[in-house]
């Protein structure tokens, strides 16, 4: 999301607010499918991240905002939430590592913000496309068959990616370059500048 796109969002603030109000009024129900619930929480995380940036705009980095992830700054239904709570208490507990390529932290090294909302029907293909795009994005990961320099996301949340093998096994599901199981692994510096 570029600086100019945040300016664009500023103009679209009314539309964003309508969407946020819709999310707040339509919490996931027990009858919803797992994909519908996942899509809801990914959309909520991304929409409220955009709102947080807009409320503090202009800002050079999300980290310049006081406690951006821990602050309970929005209400869904009758409960106040923080971004951290959605990520760690809800999304990560759903055992879907691909959420890490779907939720956006408004920074250069984050996955790119999708230009469409996640939906129950399209979720599987959206998560697959997001994982493939992120893993093969040379600005996020440098992959050769015998050495890789990968995003800190794979370090910070390594447990999420190791439920069915190693991080390399996970990467090989999406990487255009096949990685050897004994490849050397380094992690890239994470760039927290506002993603332009």
């Amino acid at each position: 999301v570029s600086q100019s796109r945040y300016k664009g969002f500023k103009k679209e603030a009314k539309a964003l607010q309508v969407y946020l109000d819709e999310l707040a009024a339509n919490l996931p129900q027990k009858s919803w499918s797992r994909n519908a619930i996942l899509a809801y929480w990914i959309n909520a995380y991304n929409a409220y991240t955009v709102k947080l940036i807009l409320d503090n705009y202009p800002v050079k980095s999300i980290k310049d905002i006081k406690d951006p992830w821990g602050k309970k700054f929005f209400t869904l239904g009758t409960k106040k939430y923080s971004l951290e709570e959605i990520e760690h208490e809800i999304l990560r507990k759903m055992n879907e590592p691909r959420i890490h390529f779907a939720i956006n932290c408004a920074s250069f090294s984050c996955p790119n913000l999708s230009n469409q909302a996640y939906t129950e029907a399209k979720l599987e293909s959206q998560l697959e496309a997001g994982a493939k795009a992120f893993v093969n994005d040379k600005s996020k990961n440098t992959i050769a068959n015998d050495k890789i320099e990968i995003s800190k996301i794979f370090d910070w949340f390594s447990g999420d990616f190791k439920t069915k093998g190693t991080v390399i096994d996970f990467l090989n599901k999406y990487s255009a370059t096949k990685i050897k199981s004994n490849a050397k692994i380094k992690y890239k510096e994470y760039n927290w500048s506002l993603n332009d």
Side-chain angles (χ1 to χ4, degrees):
V1 178
S2 66
Q3 294 275 359
S4 55
R5 256 181 83 188
Y6 283 109
K7 285 202 179 86
F9 273 132
K10 266 296 217 215
K11 290 196 188 83
E12 300 288 318
K14 273 203 183 74
L16 177 65
Q17 196 51 56
V18 167
Y19 182 63
L20 296 175
D21 293 344
E22 214 169 280
L23 287 170
N26 296 287
L27 258 82
Q29 304 298 311
K30 286 215 169 19
S31 59
W32 288 22
S33 72
R34 179 173 178 273
N35 279 4
I37 294 168
L38 263 169
Y40 174 91
W41 288 112
I42 292 169
N43 291 333
Y45 186 97
N46 289 337
Y48 280 101
T49 296
V50 170
K51 167 128 178 83
L52 179 69
I53 297 291
L54 292 185
D55 287 350
N56 293 277
Y57 193 80
V59 68
K60 284 198 166 56
S61 166
I62 192 167
K63 287 192 140 187
D64 295 341
I65 300 167
K66 191 174 179 295
D67 197 16
W69 296 290
K71 189 166 42 190
K72 295 193 173 204
F73 70 94
F74 55 99
T75 304
L76 299 170
T78 54
K79 185 173 176 319
K80 284 189 99 63
Y81 286 89
S82 67
L83 294 171
E84 207 166 62
E85 195 174 344
I86 293 181
E87 181 175 8
H88 301 294
E89 300 304 314
I90 300 171
L91 284 170
R92 290 184 64 206
K93 290 194 169 156
M94 293 182 75
N95 300 321
E96 175 47 82
R98 294 172 300 177
I99 58 131
H100 293 294
F101 317 120
I103 59 177
N104 184 271
C105 63
S107 307
F108 188 79
S109 290
C110 298
N112 299 328
L113 182 61
S114 171
N115 56 5
Q116 46 175 314
Y118 288 80
T119 64
E120 176 184 21
K122 286 194 194 151
L123 186 72
E124 181 54 35
S125 60
Q126 288 174 314
L127 290 177
E128 276 296 280
K132 198 171 278 178
F134 185 81
V135 169
N136 293 295
D137 181 338
K138 290 180 173 53
S139 70
K140 323 271 191 207
N141 302 287
T142 309
I143 294 176
N145 61 5
D146 55 351
K147 64 171 202 273
I148 58 176
E149 203 179 334
I150 54 176
S151 168
K152 282 294 257 188
I153 288 172
F154 294 109
D155 183 20
W156 294 329
F157 305 110
S158 64
D160 296 9
F161 297 105
K162 287 181 182 166
T163 55
K164 294 184 180 125
T166 64
V167 167
I168 288 178
D169 292 332
F170 181 88
L171 290 166
N172 270 332
K173 287 202 296 208
Y174 302 104
S175 177
T177 304
K178 272 286 165 265
I179 308 160
K180 290 182 181 156
S181 58
N182 61 350
K184 282 181 65 138
I185 302 179
K186 274 176 69 178
Y187 295 99
K188 286 183 183 284
E189 268 301 294
Y190 210 79
N191 181 346
W192 288 102
S193 325
L194 204 63
N195 43 0
D196 51 6

